[in-house]
Amino acid sequence: MAGAQGAFSLREVLAAFQTCVTEQREVLLGPYLCGWRGLIRFLHSLGAIFSFISKDAVAKVQIMENYCRGEQREKYVSLQSMVEYELASGLVDVQKQSGRPDSGCRTVLRLHRALRWLQLFLEGLRTGREDSRTSVICTDSYNASLAAYHPWVVRKAATVAFCTLPPRNAFLEIMNVGTPEEAVAMLGEALPYICDVYGITQELFAQHKLLDLP
Ligand code: 1Q0
């Protein structure tokens, strides 16, 4: 997989999340979505059993990319400008209604919740023992985060897919940053940036009472 065209590299994802946060502590949507695109590329390389997850992630990233390219694109430069614009324009459904396009806020909220899973998963990988199982780290991280928002059938399918994950060291190698030790070092570098993006988004959404959007 390493060296193949379009191969995943953790470095690119790190760079994207690193450039997300501005000096004013705003989260830029461009690099945020680039980071997600990189993660989705990685997910594709894990096989068809993960395609129900990547399909949903791609759909959500696409919704956001369309907003970022659309007529109101200057309102979708950062999460802060998006929240301000969508709330002021009444574009956010606080109760489930039919027929309206998914707002940026509810879409980002789904990605944001998944970022919490990613944070826990990468931390688990980083600090795990050499012989620890990726599937267990992944399941534990999922149960402590995203699972709460998913119905039983999705939880079940996700848990089955997690069981196919390669062992920890093989998994670290397909991240394409060198040896497992180098990947662990890179994770140590990457995580604070991902945590920062997560923390700022969480605070922003909490402040505007957007954490439970249907
Ligand atoms: C390594 C294994 C990856 C496992 C990914 C864990 C996430 C499981 C999520 C299961 C989602 C199931 C599909 C549908 C869910 C939707 O119902 C739900 C809610 O949306 P809605 O519109 O119905 O209200 N959607 C979500 O919760 C969004 C889920 C997005 C998941 C995106 C996961 C992207 C993962 C990338 C792989 C990362 C690998 C990490 C190693 C790379 C190192 C940087």
Side-chain angles (χ1 to χ4, degrees):
M1 214 167 306
Q5 202 191 13
F8 173 84
S9 170
L10 175 58
R11 263 180 241 278
E12 291 167 33
V13 175
L14 161 65
F17 284 110
Q18 202 170 348
T19 48
C20 259
V21 179
T22 68
E23 271 176 28
Q24 289 74 37
R25 312 282 296 153
E26 291 199 317
V27 178
L28 298 174
L29 261 167
Y32 184 84
L33 298 174
C34 266
W36 276 106
R37 280 277 176 201
L39 290 169
I40 292 167
R41 209 136 45 87
F42 183 73
L43 199 54
H44 280 142
S45 74
L46 293 176
I49 197 162
F50 288 92
S51 61
F52 77 105
I53 301 175
S54 57
K55 268 195 197 126
D56 186 69
V58 166
K60 290 190 166 45
V61 168
Q62 249 160 15
I63 291 174
M64 295 314 302
E65 286 174 345
N66 288 340
Y67 283 128
C68 290
R69 285 194 216 107
E71 270 177 31
Q72 300 296 335
R73 57 184 168 278
E74 80 280 8
K75 308 290 195 324
Y76 289 86
V77 168
S78 70
L79 291 186
Q80 286 74 6
S81 62
M82 175 191 80
V83 166
E84 192 186 326
Y85 164 68
E86 289 197 341
L87 284 178
S89 316
L91 296 170
V92 183
D93 273 339
V94 185
Q95 267 151 13
K96 205 151 185 86
Q97 284 174 18
S98 55
R100 290 180 68 182
D102 288 335
S103 66
C105 287
R106 73 88 64 193
T107 306
V108 166
L109 177 63
R110 271 56 186 179
L111 296 173
H112 170 67
R113 288 169 179 165
L115 203 62
R116 173 73 185 148
W117 160 80
L118 184 71
Q119 209 181 311
L120 295 175
F121 175 60
L122 297 183
E123 186 59 20
L125 270 183
R126 189 181 77 85
T127 55
R129 288 169 28 159
E130 238 175 75
D131 60 353
S132 49
R133 288 169 53 195
T134 316
S135 57
V136 173
I137 299 172
C138 190
T139 307
D140 289 350
S141 314
Y142 176 74
N143 286 338
S145 56
L146 265 183
Y149 305 101
H150 291 161
W152 182 86
V153 62
V154 169
R155 292 203 303 269
K156 196 76 201 153
T159 312
V160 169
F162 297 159
C163 288
T164 68
L165 288 170
R168 178 179 177 273
N169 275 11
F171 192 88
L172 290 172
E173 273 168 18
I174 55 176
M175 285 183 184
N176 228 354
V177 280
T179 63
E181 293 72 29
E182 285 167 327
V184 164
M186 180 64 103
L187 281 178
E189 244 184 82
L191 269 160
Y193 294 107
I194 294 175
C195 289
D196 209 22
V197 171
Y198 181 85
I200 297 172
T201 313
Q202 179 72 12
E203 203 183 311
L204 176 71
F205 275 55
Q207 196 185 337
H208 293 281
K209 302 192 170 37
L210 297 172
L211 286 171
D212 295 310
L213 290 180

